[in-house]
Amino acid sequence: MFGATRLPLLLLCAISLVLGTFMKEQHPLLGDDGQKPLPGKPKSRSTLPALLDALDVLQADYFEVWQGIWPTSIDWTSAVIGTYLSSAIITLSGSYPAFPSSKVADNTVNKYFSNLIGAYFGQDAFALRQEAYDDMLWVVLGWLETVKFIGAHSELHYGTDDDSRLAGPWYGHQWVPAFAHRARIFWDMASQGWDTSLCNGGMIWNPYLVPYKNAITNELYITASISMYLYFPGDDNTSPFGFTTPPTPQDIDSPNRPHHPKYLAAAIEAYKWLGDSNMTDAKGLYVDGYHISGWSRERPKNESNTRCDARNEMVYTYNQGVLLSGQRGLYEATGARSYLEDGHQLVSNVIAATGWDLKHGKALDEDEADKPRHRLGKWRGLGRSGVMEEACDAEGYCSQDGQTFKGIFFHHLTLFCERLPDHLVLPGELFLSKNVEDIPGGPQEVQKWHDKECARYGPWIKHNAKAAVSTLDHEGKFGMWWGAPPHSTADPDAEVDLPRQAVDSRNQGVPQEWKNKRRYLRKTHEDDEDDAHDDDNEGKIRIRDLNDRGRGRTVETQGGGISVLRAMLELVDTR
Ligand SMILES: *[C@@H]1O[C@H](CO)[C@@H](O)[C@H](O)[C@H]1NC(C)=O
Ligand SMILES: *[C@@H]1O[C@H](CO)[C@@H](O)[C@H](O)[C@H]1NC(C)=O
């Protein structure tokens, strides 16, 4: 099960084909298929093999080592997939006792780490510079996550014993400057998207479209900025601009030093703007964003409207996710508990919108009289019967963007609910006195409260992980629609009411009126996706299961499965 080669999984598949059974039945993935965990074993033992299998499929079937790319992904989705891989090896690094030996564990972690190094060179950094600001910010988050992995792995396995002291730091350390440099370059470029001439601030989504201030770009800017503040280790590489004397990271005024206050300031300012932007709906969920009505390039600014007043009511899962890790980071950087409170409120709102009763820890539909009329539970805004669902899932029209969203939510939920540090390092208070920890509202009390809140999400996370696992096909690939009724090939009668004035641009393409043709004729990646979408639909002859419809199983849906399994492992099993 733990082998670093492909053989065990293939063998299992072969066996299950011969026996005519499903792999799931051969291979219990989650703890409660009637199998009690053995006493004395780590509780995570049943999720970890599932995560390892999922990673194996991700990297063996969807990654090309020789090119360093996930060839079927697009630039932004591969940045997200790489981020999941970095997070996953943080988890593996902390799970050595669950492996047969530390040699096996090392081999697995190093294999995926070397894939990430390949992906650093395979990443089309030049194309990404011409893309939208959100595309750039996914890149920042990805490499910061890899830097975090290197730090965590070194500390855990190469810090203290005599051998490592003699041998020097873990070899992965040599990559920190490269990854840090890419994160900084992309943060610098993306921060050009902050604009105060319209809507009193906020990030513009895409310089190639008419101005759209959307949730995702602003949430990413908050999260990437606070993550730069907390995790960016400094960078003295002046490429591509520099022949000036490189500023050293130690220089107090250098923009390249770690923990620079400009990142904290950017995150706080953007958070404030987002909070004031009226971007949430009646359910407390982030809608997609705002246009400026009557905006035109020709009219001077002083004569035309500059307010964000045309709201796109579309609700996506990822818009509820990215902010969470930003809120956690803002708490860590400032000690202000309100950021975490906002985050827990958002998580509760999301869980309610999937049709889950958080108070009683069960799906809302379970005791509803009208259940028999619908085979599926009632659509609640972000899912049904307690399972998170994208609006495009049930009818199978999700684009490559849409296929990535649910995984993003669970990735950031996991970051949000990770244990808080015992001590906060606040700006200007680098030497917090010991007894500050004991005061009410101090870090330790907040930590306890935060853990307790996060524990309430456990049954819901498990419910979703089980649903995701139910979409695995015989090759170990996750599908998109976790809530798909099993053993059904007919299109379900699945009504999804989109809010009025909702434009599902991320799945159905950017409408003509959003385009700013006069300025840029270049195709945006949205156009490319539409083409890819059509191609993928052609040549599909048989419909084998509901998750084969539309784009079917992809590297993006595999990423979603990995993300929810990791949430299960980190937030449920090991708590
Ligand atoms: C917030 O947006 C909604 C939907 O567009 C609108 O009905 C409401 O009046 C707005 N509230 C404020 C305070 O602008
Ligand atoms: C708008 O600005 C332009 C250029 O500064 C100026 O010529 C024009 O008079 C201004 N219009 C109004 C209505 O203030």
Side-chain angles (χ1 to χ4, degrees), residues 300-304:
K301 291 240 169 60
N302 58 358
E303 283 176 21
S304 62

Side-chain angles (χ1 to χ4, degrees), residues 51 54-55 57-59 62 70 72-73 77-85 87-88 400 402-412 414 468 471-472 476-480 482 552-567:
L51 179 62
L55 288 168
V57 170
L58 180 75
Q59 292 309 95
Y62 292 115
W70 293 271
T72 53
S73 68
T77 68
S78 63
V80 170
I81 298 291
T83 314
Y84 296 162
L85 191 57
S87 296
Q400 199 155 6
Q403 283 200 325
T404 315
F405 292 170
K406 288 201 297 278
I408 291 169
F409 176 83
F410 280 96
H411 173 76
H412 289 273
T414 310
T471 69
L472 282 173
K477 292 181 172 168
F478 283 90
M480 174 68 199
W482 298 346
R553 289 174 169 81
T554 62
V555 63
E556 285 86 10
T557 62
Q558 191 68 16
I562 284 167
S563 180
V564 70
L565 282 179
R566 179 166 178 269

Side-chain angles (χ1 to χ4, degrees), residues 3 30 41 52 56 72-73 81 89 168 184 245 250 272-273 345 356 395-396 413 451 472 477 485 521 523 543 569 571:
L30 292 174
K41 292 268 181 177
L52 286 169
D56 185 35
T72 53
S73 68
I81 298 291
I89 55 178
R184 179 177 72 81
T245 326
Q250 285 74 33
K272 175 141 188 2
W273 180 84
Q345 187 59 56
W356 183 264
E395 289 180 46
L413 175 64
D451 281 353
L472 282 173
K477 292 181 172 168
L521 295 169
K523 275 168 64 142
I543 296 214
L569 208 151
L571 306 183

Side-chain angles (χ1 to χ4, degrees), residues 277-280 290 309-311 313 501:
S277 71
N278 189 27
M279 202 116 45
T280 50
Y290 275 104
D309 57 355
R311 199 163 101 149
E313 299 290 330
Q501 287 161 338

Side-chain angles (χ1 to χ4, degrees), residues 496-512:
V496 174
D497 315 314
L498 294 187
R500 272 185 302 171
Q501 287 161 338
V503 179
D504 186 359
S505 69
R506 303 311 297 264
N507 289 299
Q508 299 183 316
V510 170
Q512 201 53 43

Side-chain angles (χ1 to χ4, degrees), residues 188-207:
D188 282 351
M189 279 187 297
S191 62
Q192 309 291 312
W194 185 261
D195 158 74
T196 51
S197 70
L198 300 167
C199 320
N200 296 315
M203 287 287 284
I204 298 262
W205 175 32
N206 186 328

Side-chain angles (χ1 to χ4, degrees), residues 48-102:
L48 186 63
L51 179 62
L52 286 169
D53 281 352
L55 288 168
D56 185 35
V57 170
L58 180 75
Q59 292 309 95
D61 291 2
Y62 292 115
F63 187 71
E64 288 296 342
V65 173
W66 72 285
Q67 293 171 303
I69 58 173
W70 293 271
T72 53
S73 68
I74 46 178
D75 291 330
W76 87 267
T77 68
S78 63
V80 170
I81 298 291
T83 314
Y84 296 162
L85 191 57
S86 298
S87 296
I89 55 178
I90 292 176
T91 296
L92 300 189
S93 176
S95 307
Y96 270 40
F99 282 82
S101 73
S102 63

